Amino acid sequence: MSNKFIGQSIKRVEDKRFITGKGRYTDDIVLPGMLHAHFVRSPYAHARVLNIDLTEAKAMEGVVAIFTGDDVKALNGVPCGWQVNFRNGETMREPKHPMLIATGDTAKHVGDPVAVIIAESKSIATDAAESVVVEWEELPAVANPAEALKSDAPKVHEQFPDNKVFDWSLGNPIEEVDAAIAASAHVTTLEFVNQRVVPNAMEPRAYIGHYDEVSDKYTLYTSTQNPHLIRLLMCAFVLGIPEHKVRVVGPDVGGGFGSKIYHYTEEALVTWASKQIGQPVKWTSDRSEAFLLDAHGRDHVTKAEMGFDADGNITGLRIKTVANLGAYLSTFAPAVPTYLHGTLLQGLYTTPKINVDMTCVFTHTVAVDAYRGAGRPEATYLLERIIDLAALEMGRDPAQLRLQNFIPPFDGVEQPGYQTQVALQYDSGNYAPVLQRGLEILGYDAFRQAQKEAAQSNKLLGVGISTYIEACGIAPSAVVGALGARAGLYESAQVRVQPTGKVSVFTGSHSHGQGHETTFVQVVADKLGIPMEDVDLVHGDSDALAFGMGTYGSRSLAVGGSAIMKSIDKILEKGAKIAAHKLECAEGDLEYGEGKWTVKGTDKSIGFGDVALTAYVPHVYPAGLEPGLDFSSFYDPTNFTYPFGCHIAVVEVDKETGKVDLKRMIAVDDVGNVINPMIVDGQIHGGLAQGIGQALFEGTVYDENAQLTNGSYMDYCMPRADDLPMFETDRQTTPCPHNPLGVKGAGEAGAIGSTPAVVNAVIDALWSGGHQVKDILMPLTSERVWRAMN
């Protein structure tokens, strides 16, 4: 590669469209004859539908159709994409997730739909929905996952009286871990809650179902992260429609953060309804529905114990967690607390004995799915909180305690990958330098002196360190299949060279804010030695390319980019045959660079465009070679990739009010090779804001009836610009040894390391003032911090 474009901070080409208001989102699409849907939803978290009176709604002018649960009983529910069975072999419990709740059945969370009104306008549909009279029998409900396990807890699904989805364990045998903990010179115990958060993508979910009678074909426009996966799930499992009869289009999408991986019932319902009515049907979520119904994230209740010998070496880690999966299983719900969480509990440490015990439960809340980081933030939070607390309890420096226990460096080429106690083998890593660089940027020694002086004032200073590792580039299909995935996790790409030498690239990786239209084009232009303007990227349309597994888990460049590289290699290989024929030389005598094939040691060459034209006008052409220059590839990685880094937060805590002021946020990340540093910085910045948001501001609040009491921007606090300091970022590079770009993934790193860094900083500040607090429930509001000191 020329490195003319790779590694350069090129401005995002897609931003011209977005900042001039030319982005085209699903809700912008208007189809001839399009109707609008509005759902009648349960106001209760748990209630039986006794009767639905549609009389007034049906009589309203402009109402075209009304469907209830009785009309869609024959349809299957939306499926779960991952299966994790009980330890004893019992199959994972997977109750049907119906399209609409039928009369006599029970709604299982607030917002569960019982009817859909389809009308000529959105306002008519909304008015008609308000005239529907539903007779409910309210039933007891439970929202807290630990409470759901109690014998007298309300039952979410009557057939599963213990409310368990499954239980699961990983790591060393518990007897070995118990013995290691028992023999330890010091054991730190931390009990905490990793609270439930709402994704809050800028664009609410929106869907348009359109059935065309002439072609007998459906089109679904959807704000999704993975159009092909939605088509597969909807066709094969929900509606029973042949895939070749369905086109799924994901146009511009205003953020997802994992919440738009999930195949939602509304997607399938508008698609089904469009055929029943013979007209397109649009539904767009309002913000209240988004708070209630978009898949939430996190929601773990954990007890963790970490043992140390007399020298401060970690001897063992024992973990028991209860994870809330909500009332129904979302697409990836079972994977998040298990294979995306339990497998990361080695962290960066040489912990010799680890046991993870996980119980996943149903509650009367909306489904939980991936949320930026998906399981890895929960793992990092656990590890980095407990090792920081251990340092405080043992009177050791938290940075030195980490450095003492870090896994030694390895490159995955000369040295083998690092085999953890929890199934994974890390690809390459060099962990100490990111922490040392973070401390250098901070000025660690000077900070500790300033902290001592501040302890005498009303403003306590604290520093929080968090190191992290995550598993990205999800992942080898054979491995994830063995772990319960019900789909492969490869990616596909097609590179089509036009006769004029211009290049169209089709990728199954969907872009919804990541900057694919820039970074993918940088890779292609660099590899082919042509201008970026000569490359066009196409994504988000299931009819445009063979297949795609979508965008999540920081996999786009590592997996989707590698699929593109495979196709480019095929283009160059075939191009060399054509060039050799034109130049009357052997292929082995050619070298490719700067957009042309050159006979080594001569000035004889032929340009990429000339070869492209020859491929489509094959008058002077190698015998037996097919015309055209167009290749597709599938890439299935051999391993996850493992980005890592160190985040450091500095806070000031007001002793009188408990107010936390985040003064500094330092992030030193190693995401492998970097294609566009500016885009990586942007992704790190966004992730930091989300991670800080969870630490200080965000969190759902449910009352005793499982009602979400802060489901609006008036009540749910999101971080704002003036809540955040200027971020200080730096990088080191440890290339991934097993993909052709050497990339590891950067989309979620900021959200993984920052949350424990901020909480550790607050706890550190309180200890400096003599308040030996072990934990404070997130978000760390002024009231909670003040109460912890008083």
Side-chain angles (χ1 to χ4, degrees), residues 566-626:
K566 285 187 68 176
S567 290
I568 291 174
D569 288 342
K570 295 174 184 174
I571 294 287
L572 291 177
E573 183 181 345
K574 184 174 181 180
K577 295 181 188 301
I578 299 170
H581 187 80
K582 296 280 284 186
L583 294 171
E584 299 179 338
C585 66
E587 286 176 52
D589 294 335
L590 292 174
E591 58 187 3
Y592 188 80
E594 298 183 352
K596 60 186 178 184
W597 284 268
T598 302
V599 181
K600 295 173 186 173
T602 75
D603 60 357
K604 290 180 63 177
S605 65
I606 182 169
F608 181 76
D610 290 330
V611 167
L613 184 62
T614 303
Y616 289 94
V617 187
H619 297 165
V620 181
Y621 205 66
L625 191 67
E626 291 181 8

Side-chain angles (χ1 to χ4, degrees), residues 30 39 79 92 94 168 217 228 347 405 513 558 567 662 709 773-774:
V30 178
F39 288 86
M92 180 180 78
E94 196 173 356
W168 175 87
K217 189 165 183 177
H228 286 86
N405 284 283
S567 290
L662 181 61
T709 62
V773 177
K774 296 184 75 166

Side-chain angles (χ1 to χ4, degrees), residues 247-326:
R247 176 190 179 200
V248 175
V249 182
D252 286 329
V253 173
F257 311 121
S259 69
K260 292 174 181 172
I261 299 171
Y262 182 17
H263 177 34
Y264 290 88
T265 56
E266 292 93 345
E267 286 175 306
L269 198 56
V270 298
T271 304
W272 172 83
S274 70
K275 182 174 183 180
Q276 312 307 310
I277 300 168
Q279 290 177 260
V281 178
K282 175 192 277 187
W283 173 77
T284 300
S285 165
D286 61 31
R287 189 55 70 177
S288 294
E289 288 177 308
F291 267 102
L292 285 173
L293 302 170
D294 288 4
H296 291 173
R298 318 280 194 259
D299 209 347
H300 286 194
V301 178
T302 295
K303 179 180 180 181
E305 298 159 281
M306 180 175 274
F308 296 83
D309 66 19
D311 296 324
N313 300 308
I314 301 172
T315 57
L317 177 63
R318 183 168 57 204
I319 300 158
K320 287 182 77 72
T321 292
V322 180
N324 187 354
L325 301 191

Side-chain angles (χ1 to χ4, degrees), residues 459-714:
K459 303 281 190 181
L460 299 175
L461 281 177
V463 61
I465 297 168
S466 169
T467 55
Y468 73 88
I469 188 167
E470 53 169 330
C472 295
I474 301 172
S477 294
V479 173
V480 297
L483 300 178
R486 290 167 167 169
L489 285 171
Y490 48 82
E491 194 49 271
S492 74
Q494 179 184 8
V495 176
R496 178 182 300 163
V497 181
Q498 311 288 357
T500 55
K502 310 304 180 189
V503 177
S504 298
V505 179
F506 302 83
T507 175
S509 300
H510 186 274
S511 183
H512 39 276
Q514 293 85 356
H516 292 175
E517 292 172 44
T518 305
T519 49
F520 281 21
V521 169
Q522 283 181 254
V523 168
V524 175
D526 202 278
K527 179 76 173 175
L528 295 179
I530 60 177
M532 286 182 63
E533 294 77 14
D534 286 358
V535 183
D536 182 45
L537 186 78
V538 179
H539 68 90
D541 187 337
S542 67
D543 270 8
L545 78 158
F547 205 77
M549 291 307 299
T551 294
Y552 40 82
S554 301
R555 69 191 303 270
S556 292
L557 261 179
V559 188
S562 296
I564 292 172
M565 289 290 285
K566 285 187 68 176
S567 290
I568 291 174
D569 288 342
K570 295 174 184 174
I571 294 287
L572 291 177
E573 183 181 345
K574 184 174 181 180
K577 295 181 188 301
I578 299 170
H581 187 80
K582 296 280 284 186
L583 294 171
E584 299 179 338
C585 66
E587 286 176 52
D589 294 335
L590 292 174
E591 58 187 3
Y592 188 80
E594 298 183 352
K596 60 186 178 184
W597 284 268
T598 302
V599 181
K600 295 173 186 173
T602 75
D603 60 357
K604 290 180 63 177
S605 65
I606 182 169
F608 181 76
D610 290 330
V611 167
L613 184 62
T614 303
Y616 289 94
V617 187
H619 297 165
V620 181
Y621 205 66
L625 191 67
E626 291 181 8
L629 204 49
D630 187 335
F631 284 100
S632 295
S633 301
F634 284 73
Y635 177 77
D636 200 340
T638 58
N639 193 359
F640 295 91
T641 62
Y642 296 92
F644 58 91
C646 170
H647 293 176
I648 299 176
V650 174
V651 301
E652 187 179 77
V653 178
D654 190 314
K655 290 166 67 173
E656 299 294 327
T657 66
K659 183 178 184 301
V660 176
D661 187 6
L662 181 61
K663 308 296 289 185
R664 296 181 68 183
M665 192 72 219
I666 298 163
V668 182
D669 298 285
D670 190 325
V671 297
N673 289 336
V674 171
I675 303 301
N676 187 317
M678 184 165 57
I679 287 178
V680 169
D681 283 344
Q683 294 193 343
I684 297 294
H685 282 208
L688 291 173
Q690 274 183 294
I692 294 165
Q694 183 178 5
L696 296 179
F697 305 105
E698 299 184 50
T700 59
V701 178
Y702 285 90
D703 68 11
E704 65 278 10
N705 298 313
Q707 291 279 348
L708 179 64
T709 62
N710 61 339
S712 79
Y713 285 137
M714 294 295 289

